[in-house]
Amino acid sequence: MNRNHVWHVMQNEWRKTSKSKMQLILMLLVPFLAVAFISWGMNYVLNMTSHYTARVFCQSADQIENVKLVIADFPEFDCVVGDEADVEEQVESGKIDSGVLISDEKISIIYDSSLITSSSCLKDSSDVAEYLTAALEGQEVLKEMRDFMPEKEIIDLSTDEEILDAFLDKMVGVIGMIIFLMMSSNALALAAGSITGEKERHTFDTLVLCPASLPKILMGKNLVLMSEIFLSGLVGIVTAVVSFALWNGDSFALIRRFAGKNLMWVLALFILMVTSTLVITTVFSVIASAFSETKKAALFASAGMVIISISSMIPTFTKAEIVDFIPVANWSGVIKSICKGAVNMQALLAALCISLILYILGIVVSSKLWERTVE
Amino acid sequence: MITIEHLKKTFKKNKVEAVKDVSLEVRDGEIFALLGPNGAGKTTSMRMLSTLLKPTAGRITYDGKDIEEDTVAIRRRITFLTNEIRLDGQFTPDELANYYGRLYEMSPEQISKNKKDLFDYFGITEFADRRYETFSTGMKQKTSLAICLLHDPDTIIFDEPTNGLDILTQRLIEQLILRLKGEGKCIILSTHILDLVSRLADRVGVIVDGKSVYCGTVADMAPSLGVETLDEAFVKLYEENHEEQAIVKKK
């Protein structure tokens, strides 16, 4: 294969992209804005919904100083003077999620007008402090409380791994999927412009008349398409990382702790991006090659988007290990495992090989389809 | 020499038999005009001749070499130009010439030499840094011509090259055709303008309803059919060979 032809087509396609403001916006600005906005929005909602409000009520003012020292590390809690009636009134009116009532003899935890649990008799204020510390650090009493209200986030009670899992489920899964869909929608527009558009603009004949075979021309175009899709994905990933670091420092620190032990996560992320880019490029270049009108190609490319989206949702239907080996379907799973520093590299490499085979098949099919539509 | 033997093309999509049986011979260094009414199959034949379409049946050879056997080698030797051909609008003629020159595996020196000659000839040197999409129809056609001729092909296939162009650009193209002939190139020209044929062409082929019905010199065409002018000869050939007309005549 004359690699020069592929290289010349690539250079030309890149030049074309650099001259098109729309393509640059689509490729760089849209993923940046979309991911940044969604990360910020989700983080805002997450903080709103998961912020656990509790208040410690001390029956006597003398207890307050001691209790404040104990709860200093738990910003979710504040401390006021009050009795059982105050706790119930505030819980019922929704001002707080739960109340911890401290008397000289016992600690009671009240949630939704119910007494969840109460301690045995406590002797003095140091006993109270000790008990409260144990409770807030996730000992028996608050574990019962968590079982009672599992829908609430009680961050203090979770292990680091559980905290990370919750964060990844809520944020990374969704943001990862958005980046992935952004890559697909970019591919849709770029493939239609670069491949179908050649025929619509009547520039196809001049290109085909050159002594470069169609597969070479198509490969040149596909490689540039791939690099553009990859770049848009990369912009999305970098934006997401920066957004997490800015707006969700605690969880980001956890990810760094879990994933940052060695640099394998960089390689894993790269392989995942390449795998996805290969599959996306293949799907959209085959669709774009089959039509001579951009509108029609875009219409059918939407069907391609649906297929890709459904494929990426396979993990929702099955938890089987085989999902890790399926390109596209493994997207969210691998992103999560990268964040947790537990990537199955074997599965990831197998997925890369599958997507490479698909890509080569795609080139052959695309060039046949491309040639056929000229008639 | 180019020989076309029993060429046939049926489009799979709509099952239209655009070319049924075309056999022609085009000699080196001549201007060969392809005539025929609209829908006769001229453009399809020209596209097959230029390797853009694959024939359903029949054979095309360039100097004895089958077009299907070494398409890439044939593409190095030919060029095809229609008034429909466009180039990427966001590029300048200069960038387009460099790109297509590289695709034709020309050296940078060759590209800049041929580019200078052609741009000077077509008067586009001063616009070489302007985007193609900003050009008028005539300028676009001139640029397309320059790009198509950049690799110095020895066979030039023109499909109605003067359609939609002003008189000045038409004259420029006529002069170009004569210049190319003077350089020993073979020119195949499809057109409706019989005046152009009588002025430029050495030989002529006529296609009616997808079938070649005449192939000979321009000078012999009218006398061989017993008429005086090229127009009359063309009409006679059409009436004798057009399927509906022939049926009416038989009845």
Side-chain angles (χ1 to χ4, degrees):
Chain A
M1 182 178 274
N2 186 338
R3 265 171 276 151
N4 279 345
H5 285 147
V6 179
W7 177 238
H8 295 324
V9 174
M10 282 177 71
Q11 279 181 315
N12 196 59
E13 288 297 310
W14 259 115
R15 210 171 289 135
K16 222 186 275 184
T17 304
S18 66
K19 286 183 178 220
S20 165
K21 280 180 194 158
M22 275 305 288
Q23 279 196 20
L24 289 175
I25 289 172
L26 200 69
M27 197 168 73
L28 304 173
L29 197 62
V30 172
F32 168 73
L33 289 177
V35 173
F37 181 74
I38 291 166
S39 299
W40 174 81
M42 279 197 66
N43 192 60
Y44 182 75
V45 173
L46 201 65
N47 279 344
M48 288 259 294
T49 53
S50 68
H51 189 68
Y52 175 70
T53 52
R55 187 161 288 164
V56 179
F57 294 81
C58 300
Q59 279 191 327
S60 71
D62 304 341
Q63 292 168 325
I64 283 193
E65 286 309 310
N66 282 336
V67 171
K68 273 190 176 169
L69 284 175
V70 173
I71 64 170
D73 292 336
F74 302 95
E76 291 84 1
F77 292 84
D78 66 353
C79 184
V80 294
V81 177
D83 56 19
E84 196 171 337
D86 294 325
V87 180
E88 282 180 1
E89 186 265 321
Q90 291 201 17
V91 169
E92 275 173 24
S93 63
K95 283 180 189 164
I96 54 172
D97 290 311
S98 69
V100 181
L101 180 66
I102 299 173
S103 68
D104 288 339
E105 296 163 339
K106 63 177 183 180
I107 292 180
S108 306
I109 298 169
I110 296 166
Y111 173 73
D112 199 16
S113 301
S114 307
L115 178 69
I116 299 167
T117 185
S118 64
S119 69
S120 51
C121 289
L122 300 167
K123 289 170 192 161
D124 50 30
S125 59
S126 64
D127 207 4
V128 169
E130 192 183 325
Y131 187 85
L132 188 58
T133 306
L136 295 179
E137 281 179 348
Q139 301 299 315
E140 288 305 313
V141 177
L142 284 188
K143 275 187 181 164
E144 282 176 34
M145 185 173 156
R146 184 177 57 163
D147 291 341
F148 189 81
M149 42 182 183
E151 76 277 13
K152 288 285 172 188
E153 283 288 330
I154 304 170
I155 296 166
D156 310 293
L157 299 179
S158 308
T159 61
D160 285 349
E161 202 165 351
E162 284 172 328
I163 293 170
L164 189 58
D165 272 339
F167 177 72
L168 294 179
D169 282 341
K170 288 206 170 87
M171 291 284 283
V172 178
V174 175
I175 301 292
M177 192 54 67
I178 282 162
I179 295 170
F180 180 74
L181 290 176
M182 199 66 69
M183 288 163 76
S184 303
S185 59
N186 263 335
L188 189 157
L190 296 169
S194 141
I195 298 170
T196 319
E198 289 280 2
K199 283 173 226 161
E200 210 167 52
R201 296 189 297 267
H202 297 285
T203 52
F204 184 78
D205 288 352
T206 324
L207 200 58
V208 174
L209 276 172
C210 295
S213 68
L214 267 184
K216 279 184 217 169
I217 296 171
L218 205 61
M219 182 166 269
K221 281 176 171 287
N222 266 357
L223 287 173
V224 172
L225 191 63
M226 269 181 65
S227 63
E228 289 169 346
I229 298 166
F230 186 88
L231 200 62
S232 70
L234 197 65
V235 169
I237 296 256
V238 171
T239 310
V241 171
V242 174
S243 304
F244 291 159
L246 280 177
W247 296 316
N248 214 314
D250 294 343
S251 304
F252 185 69
L254 273 179
I255 292 175
R256 279 182 63 195
R257 216 175 81 205
F258 276 89
K261 284 173 189 161
N262 59 44
L263 288 177
M264 280 301 276
W265 69 270
V266 179
L267 181 66
L269 194 60
F270 179 76
I271 295 173
L272 177 73
M273 293 275 290
V274 171
T275 305
S276 314
T277 305
L278 281 167
V279 175
I280 293 170
T281 309
T282 307
V283 170
F284 289 104
S285 74
V286 168
I287 293 171
S289 306
F291 297 95
S292 48
E293 287 170 46
T294 315
K295 275 183 194 169
K296 274 188 192 169
L299 192 72
F300 278 81
S302 310
M305 278 280 280
V306 173
I307 292 168
I308 285 186
S309 306
I310 291 172
S311 314
S312 66
M313 278 163 21
I314 291 174
T316 319
F317 310 116
T318 172
K319 299 286 174 207
E321 270 182 34
I322 189 81
V323 173
D324 288 348
F325 292 82
I326 307 173
V328 176
N330 65 354
W331 176 260
S332 310
V334 174
I335 289 263
K336 284 180 194 169
S337 59
I338 285 172
C339 291
K340 289 166 78 175
V343 187
N344 181 351
M345 282 302 273
Q346 211 178 351
L348 201 55
L349 287 171
L352 177 67
C353 291
I354 294 170
S355 58
L356 262 173
I357 294 167
L358 279 175
Y359 178 72
I360 292 163
L361 278 174
I363 290 277
V364 176
V365 173
S366 298
S367 49
K368 293 278 174 209
L369 285 170
W370 210 23
E371 198 173 16
R372 202 181 136 89
T373 48
V374 180
E375 296 193 0
Chain B
M1 189 164 76
I2 303 164
T3 53
I4 302 167
E5 293 165 25
H6 306 294
L7 204 61
K8 189 179 170 184
K9 180 69 191 177
T10 306
F11 290 107
K12 287 177 194 163
K13 230 188 246 176
N14 45 18
K15 311 276 180 222
V16 169
E17 204 177 8
V19 174
K20 292 167 186 165
D21 184 8
V22 169
S23 296
L24 299 165
E25 192 182 279
V26 183
R27 294 166 193 166
D28 291 341
E30 73 174 5
I31 298 176
F32 184 89
L34 195 60
L35 289 175
N38 285 336
K42 294 190 304 294
T43 299
T44 307
S45 302
M46 298 289 255
R47 289 179 75 82
M48 284 192 278
L49 208 52
S50 60
T51 76
L52 284 172
L53 285 180
K54 278 184 184 167
T56 309
R59 192 166 174 249
I60 302 170
T61 60
Y62 280 78
D63 294 334
K65 281 181 194 162
D66 196 307
I67 203 169
E68 293 293 310
E69 279 169 20
D70 198 352
T71 311
V72 171
I74 303 290
R75 281 179 180 166
R76 283 197 181 94
R77 295 178 48 192
I78 63 167
T79 196
F80 176 63
L81 192 89
T82 78
N83 60 336
E84 271 193 356
I85 278 191
R86 294 281 176 270
L87 299 163
D88 278 316
Q90 61 269 61
F91 292 122
T92 64
D94 200 46
E95 289 168 332
L96 287 164
N98 291 338
Y99 174 49
Y100 284 101
R102 284 196 296 263
L103 282 184
Y104 275 101
E105 296 157 7
M106 294 165 70
S107 67
E109 296 76 30
Q110 252 183 316
I111 294 173
S112 54
K113 184 188 169 292
N114 292 7
K115 187 167 65 177
K116 190 182 179 306
D117 289 351
L118 289 162
F119 282 12
D120 285 348
Y121 181 80
F122 289 110
I124 47 178
T125 307
E126 58 181 306
F127 307 107
D129 292 327
R130 255 179 62 182
R131 282 183 172 214
Y132 176 82
E133 64 196 0
T134 63
F135 290 166
S136 64
T137 311
M139 275 299 282
K140 277 182 181 164
Q141 186 75 338
K142 285 180 197 173
T143 310
S144 301
L145 275 165
I147 300 299
C148 289
L149 295 170
L150 189 76
H151 63 289
D152 197 20
D154 53 31
T155 302
I156 296 115
I157 303 163
F158 283 123
D159 187 17
E160 300 181 18
T162 54
N163 261 18
L165 298 177
D166 63 46
I167 193 79
L168 294 172
T169 318
Q170 280 185 32
R171 284 193 70 177
L172 185 83
I173 289 173
E174 275 186 48
Q175 285 163 5
L176 171 76
I177 290 170
L178 290 171
R179 182 184 126 154
L180 291 168
K181 191 197 172 191
E183 288 171 8
K185 317 264 186 206
C186 170
I187 294 131
I188 303 169
L189 176 74
S190 133
T191 180
H192 289 293
I193 309 165
L194 293 176
D195 183 43
L196 190 75
V197 175
S198 61
R199 273 187 286 120
L200 298 178
D202 299 305
R203 294 197 321 122
V204 64
V206 181
I207 301 178
V208 176
D209 290 341
K211 291 175 187 165
S212 50
V213 294
Y214 180 85
C215 183
T217 62
V218 177
D220 288 345
M221 190 173 157
S224 69
L225 292 163
V227 290
E228 286 185 1
T229 65
L230 206 58
D231 292 27
E232 287 168 346
F234 179 74
V235 172
K236 192 172 182 189
L237 278 171
Y238 176 74
E239 284 178 350
E240 280 174 1
N241 294 284
H242 181 48
E243 280 169 10
E244 284 172 28
Q245 296 266 12
I247 291 164
V248 172
K249 271 193 174 179
K250 267 187 188 174
K251 278 182 182 173

